[in-house]
Amino acid sequence: MNWVWTNFDMIWGLTLSQIWLSVIPIVVGFLLSIPLGYAASRSKAARSILLSAGGILYTIPSLALFVSIPVVIGTSLLDPTNVVIALTIYSVAIMVRSSADAFASVPEPVQDSATAVGFSGWQRFFAVELPLAGPVLLAGIRVVSVSTVSLVSVGSVIGVSSLGFLFTDGFQRNFFTEVWTGIIGTVIIAAVFDLLLVLIGRLAMPWNRRVSDRKLRRVASRSAVPVS
Amino acid sequence: MIEFRNVTKQFPDGTVAVDGFSLVIPSRQFTVFVGSSGCGKTTILRMINRMVEPTSGQVLIDDHDVATGDAVRLRRSIGYVMQQSGLLPHRRVIDNVATVPYLTGVSKKKGRQEAFGLLRTVGLDESLAYRYPAQLSGGQQQRVGVARALAVDPNILLMDEPFGAVDPLVRAELQTELLRLQRDLDKTVVFVTHDIDEAFLLGQHVVIFQKGGIIAQQGSPAEILANPASDFVASFIGADRGKRRLRVSDIAADNGELLLVDGNGHPAGVIETDDPRLGAGTGPKSRSVSNKTDQAGDA
Ligand SMILES: Nc1ncnc2c1ncn2[C@@H]1O[C@H](COP(=O)(O)OP(=O)(O)OP(=O)(O)O)[C@@H](O)[C@H]1O
Ligand SMILES: [Mg+2]
């Protein structure tokens, strides 16, 4: 415990870098998945192409992706951008399925009646389909959030610092206080993110409070793919 | 007046739902489309507000081809109510009613103010205004659907089996109120149902459909009942099964009312009358209405 206090500045610095390394992929992945998921919910062909592509991308081992991105886009090997891009790819890959399911979950009578009373295409998307896709989108982004936070740690193997550094360093020195600090820190970040997402969902979707958590968890577990 | 001129609709998958369909729907009347499932009623109804575009032919409202204007603006000027109310689950009742005014740029304050008036018009308590649709009963949701359709004071109201999913008691109540509304508001109503009793109850002008959007017969309920144009119509309205032929049953109802049964012997109702020729007294035994009248004449 003493070790934690004496090294608090370093741990806090690693925590902050872990946070921003995960926030960017979560947010960008979410935004990208909206148009892709919408397209997938509109056409069978688009759905099968996008979902297969997502599935394939997700099976690339993270380490392989981290080291191949600099080769493709010409960044230096230690550049954190590599990790951010790799995690964004994973995040889109998982999220596109949730997003497709989310838009498909909007009841057809509601869509029809929105058209019937005179919503234009864009109005219908932003005022009807997007908000009603919200609960399933939220379930998906919660899965993405946890998975991204834990994958960021892997980046420390290639020298991009995050709490994951505490695992690698701790193991090398056989110093388990450090390892535990890394693990607990990562879990706390993931839990805080999840809590924030749930709160945002509550505020943005007051009409949805009565929907049971069970239903959402079912959708979320369907979207989750084991991490390689 | 809404006019269909030789309208055909073939869906992308090749289904021809309607072929060479022509019809004139009179203004300010209650017109009912009735027919069994899949005969094209919804398709035809949706061509009026261009949710379905005809493959060929024209749809005119007051001699104006609907295809020439902007579809979104057209839809905002026509009320539409459907079976599963189609309310927006994420908006409160009051804002659902004001949906179309909001779309046309009316402020939230003014929209809600007018929506309260509409809730009263359709017989809903103001205390329900801030609920979400899921917190209402099916019948209440349909009322909100009607209020929403009335919000822009449309000349035309399209209703696609609006009462199909509510229980018979509530349905009867909604039917009565819809009739009152139509008389008070003087709108052109086009109402779709597959229930012939509902069609005859509501419709001033009834159009009976056959498979493929073919009109089997149209006219007032009285005209159709008196003169079914074909065996299909006779069977559809139940005339062939004696469903429409009522006679007085052998069993006396209480307080001298007469129990009526249809051709199959199923009870259909009672006659309430002060007419001594029909009224009880002696207690009818095994007599039809005409027998009873004869007897009264003999006496
Ligand atoms: N989008 C569509 N694509 C292909 N075929 C369709 C489509 N919509 C309707 N049809 C077909 O057109 C025919 C008429 O359908 P429609 O929905 O108009 O019938 P309906 O009289 O309203 O039936 P119901 O009483 O069941 O509502 C049916 O054979 C139906 O399968
Ligand atoms: Mg229909």
Side-chain angles (χ1 to χ4, degrees):
Chain A
M1 220 40 203
N2 264 341
W3 179 86
V4 173
W5 296 129
T6 46
N7 293 281
F8 191 78
D9 281 352
M10 176 200 58
I11 295 171
W12 183 242
L14 292 174
T15 305
L16 289 183
S17 80
Q18 174 118 7
I19 288 174
W20 79 259
L21 282 173
S22 10
V23 166
I24 298 175
I26 294 170
V27 172
V28 175
F30 178 75
L31 293 178
L32 286 177
S33 78
I34 300 279
L36 294 177
Y38 187 71
S41 76
R42 297 290 111 170
S43 122
K44 271 214 178 92
R47 185 181 163 90
S48 65
I49 292 171
L50 286 166
L51 295 195
S52 323
I56 291 168
L57 284 176
Y58 202 73
T59 59
I60 304 174
S62 45
L63 217 46
L65 202 53
F66 290 159
V67 296
S68 57
I69 281 173
V71 179
V72 177
I73 63 167
T75 43
S76 84
L77 194 62
L78 290 181
D79 195 331
T81 315
N82 304 331
V83 173
V84 170
I85 292 177
L87 295 184
T88 304
I89 291 173
Y90 286 135
S91 136
V92 177
I94 313 175
M95 195 58 205
V96 76
R97 175 179 292 271
S98 304
S99 171
D101 289 347
F103 286 107
S105 77
V106 180
E108 208 168 297
V110 176
Q111 300 187 36
D112 275 354
S113 91
T115 305
V117 300
F119 280 86
S120 68
W122 286 107
Q123 286 172 329
R124 197 178 88 160
F125 177 78
F126 284 107
V128 180
E129 287 164 287
L130 188 57
L132 292 182
V136 181
L137 286 175
L138 177 65
I141 195 70
R142 289 175 66 185
V143 174
V144 169
S145 160
V146 171
S147 119
T148 305
V149 169
S150 66
L151 277 174
V152 164
S153 316
V154 181
S156 58
V157 176
I158 57 159
V160 176
S161 60
S162 66
L163 289 175
F165 168 78
L166 302 179
F167 316 156
T168 45
D169 192 57
F171 273 117
Q172 266 163 20
R173 303 187 338 185
N174 240 332
F175 179 46
F176 290 100
T177 310
E178 190 177 3
V179 173
W180 276 111
T181 308
I183 291 173
I184 293 169
T186 310
V187 169
I188 290 175
I189 293 177
V192 170
F193 277 18
D194 198 50
L195 202 71
L196 282 175
L197 287 171
V198 171
L199 276 176
I200 293 171
R202 288 249 164 151
L203 291 176
M205 300 181 284
W207 51 276
N208 189 47
R209 294 222 176 108
R210 289 148 41 92
V211 175
S212 76
D213 260 353
R214 194 150 26 93
K215 179 178 157 200
L216 293 180
R217 231 174 281 133
R218 204 166 54 232
V219 179
S221 62
R222 200 153 29 96
S223 311
V225 191
V227 181
S228 52
Chain B
M1 186 179 73
I2 304 168
E3 188 179 355
F4 291 84
R5 274 195 203 149
N6 203 22
V7 171
T8 296
K9 176 63 193 181
Q10 178 167 27
F11 284 105
D13 69 353
T15 314
V16 180
V18 184
D19 195 7
F21 176 79
S22 296
L23 174 71
V24 173
I25 298 172
S27 289
R28 297 172 193 288
Q29 280 204 27
F30 204 122
T31 297
V32 178
F33 290 177
V34 58
S36 43
S37 197
C39 65
K41 307 179 295 294
T42 298
T43 305
I44 291 168
L45 190 77
R46 287 186 171 187
M47 288 199 264
I48 299 173
N49 72 352
R50 289 181 64 187
M51 287 175 73
V52 172
E53 303 272 5
T55 316
S56 67
Q58 286 177 300
V59 181
L60 304 104
I61 296 179
D62 295 332
D63 298 316
H64 185 83
D65 189 338
V66 294
T68 55
D70 174 45
V72 169
R73 187 165 327 142
L74 173 78
R75 290 180 197 134
R76 287 180 189 168
S77 72
I78 296 176
Y80 194 94
V81 187
M82 50 198 243
Q83 179 170 354
Q84 311 88 339
S85 69
L87 299 176
L88 303 178
H90 59 306
R91 294 208 181 154
R92 296 176 191 280
V93 164
I94 192 80
D95 295 322
N96 261 287
V97 175
T99 301
V100 189
Y102 291 162
L103 284 175
T104 56
V106 171
S107 73
K108 194 150 186 163
K109 186 162 172 240
K110 185 149 176 284
R112 283 188 169 183
Q113 221 167 30
E114 284 167 14
F116 272 113
L118 285 161
L119 285 183
R120 277 192 296 277
T121 307
V122 299
L124 277 177
D125 197 90
E126 286 184 6
S127 64
L128 303 177
Y130 292 100
R131 292 205 189 166
Y132 288 104
Q135 299 167 317
L136 300 185
S137 74
Q140 288 168 333
Q141 290 184 24
Q142 289 312 111
R143 286 174 198 264
V144 178
V146 173
R148 176 175 72 173
L150 293 174
V152 282
D153 195 21
N155 292 322
I156 299 173
L157 202 53
L158 307 180
M159 310 184 85
D160 195 349
E161 300 191 38
F163 310 144
V166 294
D167 72 64
L169 272 178
V170 176
R171 187 182 313 152
E173 200 176 291
L174 291 171
Q175 286 166 341
T176 317
E177 286 185 40
L178 180 61
L179 274 177
R180 170 181 62 79
L181 271 178
Q182 196 267 339
R183 271 199 307 272
D184 291 356
L185 303 177
D186 204 25
K187 308 226 175 273
T188 305
V189 178
V190 187
F191 186 106
V192 169
T193 178
H194 48 238
D195 177 356
I196 187 68
D197 294 321
E198 185 170 61
F200 282 162
L201 174 71
L202 296 174
Q204 292 166 293
H205 187 74
V206 174
V207 184
I208 299 180
F209 284 90
Q210 232 164 306
K211 191 119 195 97
I214 294 163
I215 298 177
Q217 188 171 5
Q218 57 174 315
S220 71
E223 283 163 5
I224 295 173
L225 266 172
N227 278 309
S230 62
D231 289 348
F232 172 82
V233 174
S235 145
F236 192 78
I237 65 177
D240 64 333
R241 281 163 286 136
K243 184 181 161 201
R244 302 276 168 198
R245 300 216 165 259
L246 305 183
R247 60 185 176 78
V248 175
S249 108
D250 307 351
I251 309 155
D254 282 348
N255 58 34
E257 285 172 349
L258 300 179
L259 179 66
L260 293 182
V261 294
D262 65 18
N264 303 323
H266 296 304
V270 291
I271 296 188
E272 247 177 48
T273 176
D274 294 328
D275 187 333
R277 290 173 304 158
L278 287 173
T282 51
K285 287 257 183 258
S286 185
R287 292 168 199 122
S288 71
V289 174
S290 53
N291 283 345
K292 182 75 181 164
T293 322
D294 288 343
Q295 193 200 29
D298 293 341

